[in-house]
Amino acid sequence: DAMVIQNPRYQVTQFGKPVTLSCSQTLNHNVMYWYQQKSSQAPKLLFHYYDKDFNNEADTPDNFQSRRPNTSFCFLDIRSPGLGDAAMYLCATSRDLGDLGYEQYFGPGTRLTVT
Amino acid sequence: QKEVEQNSGPLSVPEGAIASLNCTYSDRGSQSFFWYRQYSGKSPELIMFIYSNGDKEDGRFTAQLNKASQYVSLLIRDSQPSDSATYLCAVTGPGGSYIPTFGRGTSLIVHP
């Protein structure tokens, strides 16, 4: 089945130790997103790519970086994780609905713990 | 600033009842409206999508959209304990926008 895959599903890192989260998709969608979601909050958009065009949300900390080497893969790098970065990180892709916009599909998420 | 508002709940309904979840949005130009279900510790799962005024039905789920009132709702008929989850409303703007604005979600509890 076509899908959005995230690895790892659970990641434990130490304070200040860089970590990379990965996302892959078999849907061939041209838009990919990274969200951060904390308990009882809405998903917060960090970045998105429209094809190779990278878009950084204004309030995304510099500590967060992203790479999209090809259509299928996208990475989230957290250079120096702090305790406040512990969260669920969600990757999503979008299907083009034409004038109606885009329909998003989420991966299973990576739960990041910072010790 | 585009806003999507949902009552955080929890909304508690008995098994077999109709659960009604509501969402209002601030951008009058919003075009497409999505409902996601999110179980605790899991990622959001798209369950309904609506873009025209009126009702859209899919199994036990009905989405209702009223653009004049800037209001979208999700009805779940014959609620089951397995429907217990947080329901997120998401809205995209006009012109083929691909950046949705999410509400904070409503927690639904269906008790036996």
Side-chain angles (χ1 to χ4, degrees):
Chain A
D1 286 341
M3 56 193 338
V4 182
I5 301 164
Q6 290 188 246
N7 286 301
R9 296 291 306 279
Y10 301 92
Q11 176 73 57
V12 180
T13 190
Q14 293 178 334
F15 182 94
K17 186 174 182 181
V19 66
T20 295
L21 311 181
S22 72
C23 177
S24 64
Q25 55 136 337
T26 59
L27 300 162
N28 202 31
H29 290 169
N30 59 338
V31 187
M32 293 187 77
Y33 313 73
W34 279 106
Y35 288 89
Q36 179 193 67
Q37 188 179 29
K38 297 185 176 180
S39 182
S40 301
Q41 296 184 16
K44 178 182 182 299
L45 183 64
L46 298 173
F47 315 98
H48 71 274
Y49 289 87
Y50 191 106
D51 293 325
K52 291 188 175 182
D53 291 337
F54 173 71
N55 295 272
N56 187 22
E57 293 301 296
D59 58 354
T60 298
D62 292 340
N63 197 24
F64 291 82
Q65 304 286 319
S66 183
R67 298 169 281 136
R68 188 181 186 185
N70 54 54
T71 300
S72 301
F73 286 88
C74 197
F75 299 95
L76 173 62
D77 301 308
I78 308 176
R79 293 190 296 185
S80 182
L83 297 178
D85 296 327
M88 174 79 89
Y89 289 88
L90 299 165
C91 176
T93 69
S94 275
R95 182 172 77 94
D96 190 348
L97 301 173
D99 291 341
L100 298 176
Y102 283 69
E103 187 175 283
Q104 263 188 344
Y105 294 89
F106 284 87
T110 295
R111 170 73 63 189
L112 178 67
T113 300
V114 181
T115 61
Chain B
Q1 175 98 11
K2 298 175 185 176
E3 292 183 349
V4 176
E5 299 288 341
Q6 294 181 258
N7 188 323
S8 61
L11 172 66
S12 182
V13 300
E15 185 174 357
I18 296 175
S20 178
L21 304 161
N22 303 314
C23 173
T24 59
Y25 57 94
S26 63
D27 185 354
R28 185 167 290 277
S30 297
Q31 187 153 10
S32 301
F33 306 85
F34 304 86
W35 282 101
Y36 290 84
R37 178 176 61 200
Q38 187 172 26
Y39 292 114
S40 180
K42 304 294 185 183
S43 65
E45 174 193 7
L46 182 64
I47 53 172
M48 289 289 287
F49 153 57
I50 188 168
Y51 59 88
S52 295
N53 275 326
D55 295 358
K56 179 180 180 181
E57 188 174 319
D58 184 0
R60 295 186 297 113
F61 298 97
T62 299
Q64 298 177 318
L65 176 60
N66 184 327
K67 288 189 176 182
S69 300
Q70 294 176 237
Y71 176 97
V72 57
S73 64
L74 179 69
L75 302 178
I76 307 174
R77 289 183 301 281
D78 189 24
S79 295
Q80 301 297 310
S82 59
D83 295 324
S84 299
T86 295
Y87 289 80
L88 297 168
C89 174
V91 175
T92 58
S97 169
Y98 55 90
I99 305 297
T101 300
F102 282 86
R104 294 184 62 174
T106 298
S107 174
L108 172 66
I109 299 172
V110 181
H111 53 87

